[in-house]
Amino acid sequence: MKTMIIAVCNSKGGVFKTGTAFNLTVFLSKYKPVLVDLDSQKSGTYLNNIRQQFTESLNVITINKENELEQIIEQNSTEKLFIIDTGGFDSSLTRIAIITADILISPTSGNVVDLLGLNRFESILKELSNVKGETIKTNVFINDVSPSAKNFDEIKEFINSSDNLKLLNSIVRTRADFSNAINKGLSVKEFNPVGKAMLEFKALTKEIEELLLKL
Ligand SMILES: Nc1ncnc2c1ncn2[C@@H]1O[C@H](COP(=O)(O)OP(=O)(O)O)[C@@H](O)[C@H]1O
Ligand SMILES: [Mg+2]
């Protein structure tokens, strides 16, 4: 199997990038993934330290400089899957990750402020598409919406009208398990293996794994 890179990205902060990257690293454990932490706040690295009190730590690499990221991507002799948690900002590090990744995943809640953020992120993707010479698409999933919400027409319309955004089918709703789990450095699977958070994230992982298998 060739090396694969998933980057969790969205220039808007607080949309669940770290939570997604962290949970994905556990849910895709059969691929022995490396969680690459690009966030200047180092949240993933910090969560992995907390995790060590409860269970086995994840394979996390903390990156500070562009050349470190380039080295990791180029010198990937044994590791097969990299899951990059990009920061909640626009930086050259994040841009390298977006251009290099095989699969981009972007959580968004679909509320007005998040859609505005997604709109801004879309213009970054357009810019980077020109640099790369191909249309860069990110796979958006709706996250942190009310457990009873049914109407997603507005966000679907927004995403469908963009060349750079593609909507995944899975919807992840607001579940206390996500925040309670991450506070212990755990995935929702480890925290509550029978919860709705676990089922929803499992469905999301399945969709992402299908994208991986197509590479
Ligand atoms: N579906 C959800 N259910 C409950 N809490 C959520 C959900 N999605 C995100 N959150 C919370 O939102 C906050 C921001 O998530 P985080 O992964 O740190 O975002 P980012 O890395 O994009 O800044 C965290 O406290 C997280 O637990
Ligand atoms: Mg983060």
Side-chain angles (χ1 to χ4, degrees):
M1 198 164 66
K2 72 183 199 85
T3 296
M4 300 172 293
I5 302 171
I6 297 176
V8 184
C9 50
N10 186 338
S11 49
K12 171 91 176 57
V15 294
F16 202 42
K17 288 183 297 296
T18 299
T20 301
F22 203 90
N23 275 283
L24 264 186
T25 303
V26 176
F27 276 70
L28 291 173
S29 61
K30 68 175 173 194
Y31 296 101
K32 301 201 176 1
V34 180
L35 177 62
V36 182
D37 187 6
L38 293 196
D39 194 342
S40 58
Q41 289 195 49
K42 306 282 172 277
S43 337
T45 307
Y46 177 72
L47 292 172
N48 196 37
N49 290 338
I50 298 179
R51 177 181 173 86
Q52 292 174 22
Q53 298 171 29
F54 305 99
T55 186
E56 208 181 319
S57 61
L58 302 177
N59 190 358
V60 178
I61 298 180
T62 314
I63 299 287
N64 295 297
K65 294 194 194 78
E66 285 78 1
N67 66 326
E68 292 172 1
L69 178 60
E70 282 159 358
Q71 267 175 12
I72 285 196
I73 292 170
E74 281 156 19
Q75 294 179 359
N76 42 44
S77 48
T78 48
E79 278 86 12
K80 295 299 172 209
L81 177 62
F82 292 88
I83 299 175
I84 306 181
D85 177 17
T86 68
F89 53 92
D90 182 20
S91 71
S92 51
L93 259 182
T94 301
R95 288 181 174 228
I96 293 171
I98 290 172
I99 288 187
T100 318
D102 300 297
I103 296 172
L104 301 177
I105 306 290
S106 302
T108 186
S109 75
N111 72 31
V112 174
V113 177
D114 275 11
L115 283 187
L116 206 65
L118 201 55
N119 199 19
R120 201 183 105 67
F121 186 54
E122 187 199 8
S123 48
I124 296 172
L125 292 179
K126 282 201 196 318
E127 235 181 84
L128 296 179
S129 296
N130 286 333
V131 175
K132 194 173 181 179
E134 65 181 72
T135 306
I136 299 175
K137 282 182 198 279
T138 187
N139 297 280
V140 179
F141 73 95
I142 300 172
N143 169 60
D144 206 8
V145 287
S146 155
S148 61
K150 287 191 182 72
N151 185 342
F152 303 105
D153 291 350
E154 199 183 341
I155 177 164
K156 282 183 182 164
E157 201 178 306
F158 176 77
I159 291 171
N160 289 336
S161 69
S162 165
D163 287 342
N164 305 91
L165 309 174
K166 198 179 164 295
L167 187 63
L168 293 171
N169 295 318
S170 307
I171 294 178
V172 175
R173 294 170 187 272
T174 307
R175 308 281 180 201
D177 276 359
F178 283 109
S179 24
N180 292 333
I182 210 86
N183 284 339
K184 295 188 160 171
L186 297 175
S187 68
V188 288
K189 186 180 189 169
E190 297 156 319
F191 183 78
N192 179 2
V194 293
K196 288 179 176 161
M198 146 70 183
L199 290 175
E200 289 168 0
F201 205 88
K202 191 177 165 191
L204 175 70
T205 304
K206 189 161 179 272
E207 262 193 294
I208 295 172
E209 194 178 3
E210 281 163 12
L211 298 175
L212 274 180
L213 295 174
K214 275 193 221 155
L215 290 177

